[in-house]
Amino acid sequence: MRKSKLIFAVFLAFLVFVSISGCIGGGEKLTETLKEKASSAIESYSESQSLSSTESYTESESETESYSETESTAATWEEPWDAYHPVEIDGDKYLITYIKYYLRVRTEEGAPVYEYEVEKRRGNTKIHVYGKKIDMESGKQEKVDLGEFEVYEYYGKITPVKGENMNSTLEYTVWVTERTEETDTFFLFPSLDFFTLYGAVYAGSGNVVGISITYGDQKFLFYSPAAVGDMSTMAYQEGDINMLSNIPDVENIYTSWYGFYTFGIWEAVQGEDLYKPKQGSWGIAGWQYNYEINPDGTISLGGKDFKVSNVKWTYTFGNVQGQGEAILTVALPVPIETKGVFIEQSGTNVFTHVKIEDIAFEKV
């Protein structure tokens, strides 16, 4: 395992989680806080790498076994949540183009568990791009159609099954000039692509052509003419992107998922052989991690069969504790099903359960 990488990832993720919890309602504040926290964490990490290491950790006997055999086979789980690179199934390579999750969340101890369906889809399409022209003499503003353009589309839909206050489907679309590793970052997450949406509007990402968000009678629409090469036309916008802070349940979905994601098993089992039973335990600087891997037959999903393992874990990180479990397959960068609890002594107590209901592939 890449333990130094994991420790840094956990630390940085913790800062992000704390920032999200406190800043979910304001786009500019969220963006600036995340940028500052991430930069500070990265700078601290870089400085520490230049110093001689005094770290020590404990490992179980199984943890010290040779990795030469397992690392050379296809039985290791690499790059969890990577949506950019194709997956390999039965010798063929595929891109995951659609995924549907069943999501359950609880954000307070003893509170009800709320349920949602989350769908994600991506692919090439064509759209009309709009802009705004201003007559400088009169000040009159006019919406203009700049024509049809080829774009890459990311579509998401969150449907309440048993929501707290959410009673309509939330749909959102992000159009970019081309699919990149950066634009793929949040595709496989069972949540709103919050960073992508706010980043496009507040950071002015040059790759984002447009955004559409709809919830009931609330709508936000944004187009960037500059993304398609038109520098003389201003961006066009309808509605207020801060409508997201007014949509019920969005904060619960977002914070519960990211609390679980940042403290999950993902980095810890990266590089492990999922199809061999194993137990591991190690700790460093107030961090203690325990996990076990148990192969458990096959599961059919999206018309394909996957060999799977059950993975369980517990951890302690300062005043944060948690435990979880997941059904993993080497062939997919996402868990087929996973659940866990995240507890912080000051009162945070979050439960998250995610299960893939459907998935589709495109051969590459």
Side-chain angles (χ1 to χ4, degrees), residues 274-296:
L274 289 184
Y275 303 145
K276 289 186 178 179
K278 181 176 181 179
Q279 291 183 335
S281 179
W282 57 272
I284 177 175
W287 166 265
Q288 179 66 38
Y289 216 105
N290 307 296
Y291 68 95
E292 61 177 304
I293 300 172
N294 295 297
D296 191 31

Side-chain angles (χ1 to χ4, degrees), residues 129-147 223 225-226 229-237:
V129 177
Y130 298 89
K132 182 172 65 175
K133 285 189 177 294
I134 301 176
D135 185 308
M136 290 188 288
E137 294 288 337
S138 66
K140 182 179 179 180
Q141 303 177 45
E142 179 185 9
K143 177 183 177 181
V144 293
D145 186 344
L146 303 179
Y223 291 99
D230 188 329
M231 302 300 176
S232 62
T233 307
M234 298 182 67
Y236 178 79
Q237 179 175 321

Side-chain angles (χ1 to χ4, degrees), residues 92-113:
D92 293 319
K93 291 186 177 182
Y94 300 87
L95 188 68
I96 300 173
T97 55
Y98 171 82
I99 193 162
K100 181 180 181 181
Y101 291 109
Y102 172 61
L103 174 67
R104 300 169 64 234
V105 303
R106 174 187 55 72
T107 56
E108 296 180 10
E109 183 176 0
V113 175

Side-chain angles (χ1 to χ4, degrees), residues 4-15:
S4 61
K5 178 183 176 184
L6 173 61
I7 293 297
F8 170 59
V10 168
F11 175 62
L12 179 57
F14 177 69
L15 294 177

Side-chain angles (χ1 to χ4, degrees), residues 303-357:
K304 301 184 183 298
D305 294 329
F306 299 96
K307 189 177 180 180
V308 299
S309 269
N310 287 320
V311 179
K312 297 182 179 180
W313 66 91
T314 62
Y315 60 81
T316 299
F317 182 58
N319 62 350
V320 174
Q321 292 182 311
Q323 68 180 56
E325 58 188 59
I327 299 174
L328 304 179
T329 176
V330 167
L332 298 178
V334 292
I336 291 175
E337 183 172 7
T338 183
K339 63 177 65 175
V341 63
F342 171 96
I343 298 174
E344 200 268 332
Q345 290 181 7
S346 66
T348 301
N349 191 313
V350 177
F351 166 76
T352 307
H353 175 200
V354 182
K355 182 180 181 180
I356 297 178
E357 291 190 326

Side-chain angles (χ1 to χ4, degrees), residues 92-361:
D92 293 319
K93 291 186 177 182
Y94 300 87
L95 188 68
I96 300 173
T97 55
Y98 171 82
I99 193 162
K100 181 180 181 181
Y101 291 109
Y102 172 61
L103 174 67
R104 300 169 64 234
V105 303
R106 174 187 55 72
T107 56
E108 296 180 10
E109 183 176 0
V113 175
Y114 300 107
E115 305 171 23
Y116 310 87
E117 284 186 341
V118 181
E119 296 180 66
K120 297 287 192 74
R121 183 179 66 238
R122 62 180 173 179
N124 293 299
T125 189
K126 293 182 178 181
I127 65 167
H128 276 261
V129 177
Y130 298 89
K132 182 172 65 175
K133 285 189 177 294
I134 301 176
D135 185 308
M136 290 188 288
E137 294 288 337
S138 66
K140 182 179 179 180
Q141 303 177 45
E142 179 185 9
K143 177 183 177 181
V144 293
D145 186 344
L146 303 179
E148 189 176 60
F149 296 85
E150 292 187 358
V151 295
Y152 197 82
E153 177 181 274
Y154 295 90
Y155 169 81
K157 180 167 71 171
I158 300 176
T159 304
V161 177
K162 181 186 175 183
E164 181 177 13
N165 295 303
M166 190 178 187
N167 53 26
S168 295
T169 295
L170 169 64
E171 295 182 271
Y172 62 96
T173 308
V174 179
W175 296 289
V176 297
T177 54
E178 61 179 340
R179 183 177 80 91
T180 66
E181 190 165 4
E182 181 181 16
T183 60
D184 275 350
T185 300
F186 303 101
F187 175 67
L188 292 177
F189 289 7
S191 67
L192 182 69
D193 293 352
F194 196 80
F195 283 121
T196 306
L197 297 173
Y198 271 101
V201 176
Y202 288 101
S205 174
N207 192 29
V208 177
V209 177
I211 294 171
S212 173
I213 307 172
T214 303
Y215 175 77
D217 59 358
Q218 299 182 65
K219 186 170 184 178
F220 173 77
L221 193 62
F222 174 84
Y223 291 99
S224 173
V228 294
D230 188 329
M231 302 300 176
S232 62
T233 307
M234 298 182 67
Y236 178 79
Q237 179 175 321
E238 290 181 20
D240 183 358
I241 192 171
N242 287 318
M243 66 175 278
L244 288 173
S245 12
N246 300 321
I247 298 176
D249 299 21
V250 166
E251 180 176 349
N252 289 350
I253 293 170
Y254 191 75
T255 55
S256 65
W257 161 244
Y258 274 90
F260 182 55
Y261 164 71
T262 53
F263 282 89
I265 191 71
W266 330 123
E267 292 282 351
V269 297
Q270 186 176 352
E272 295 283 5
D273 189 335
L274 289 184
Y275 303 145
K276 289 186 178 179
K278 181 176 181 179
Q279 291 183 335
S281 179
W282 57 272
I284 177 175
W287 166 265
Q288 179 66 38
Y289 216 105
N290 307 296
Y291 68 95
E292 61 177 304
I293 300 172
N294 295 297
D296 191 31
T298 61
I299 287 179
S300 294
L301 187 66
K304 301 184 183 298
D305 294 329
F306 299 96
K307 189 177 180 180
V308 299
S309 269
N310 287 320
V311 179
K312 297 182 179 180
W313 66 91
T314 62
Y315 60 81
T316 299
F317 182 58
N319 62 350
V320 174
Q321 292 182 311
Q323 68 180 56
E325 58 188 59
I327 299 174
L328 304 179
T329 176
V330 167
L332 298 178
V334 292
I336 291 175
E337 183 172 7
T338 183
K339 63 177 65 175
V341 63
F342 171 96
I343 298 174
E344 200 268 332
Q345 290 181 7
S346 66
T348 301
N349 191 313
V350 177
F351 166 76
T352 307
H353 175 200
V354 182
K355 182 180 181 180
I356 297 178
E357 291 190 326
D358 196 11
I359 193 169
F361 307 93

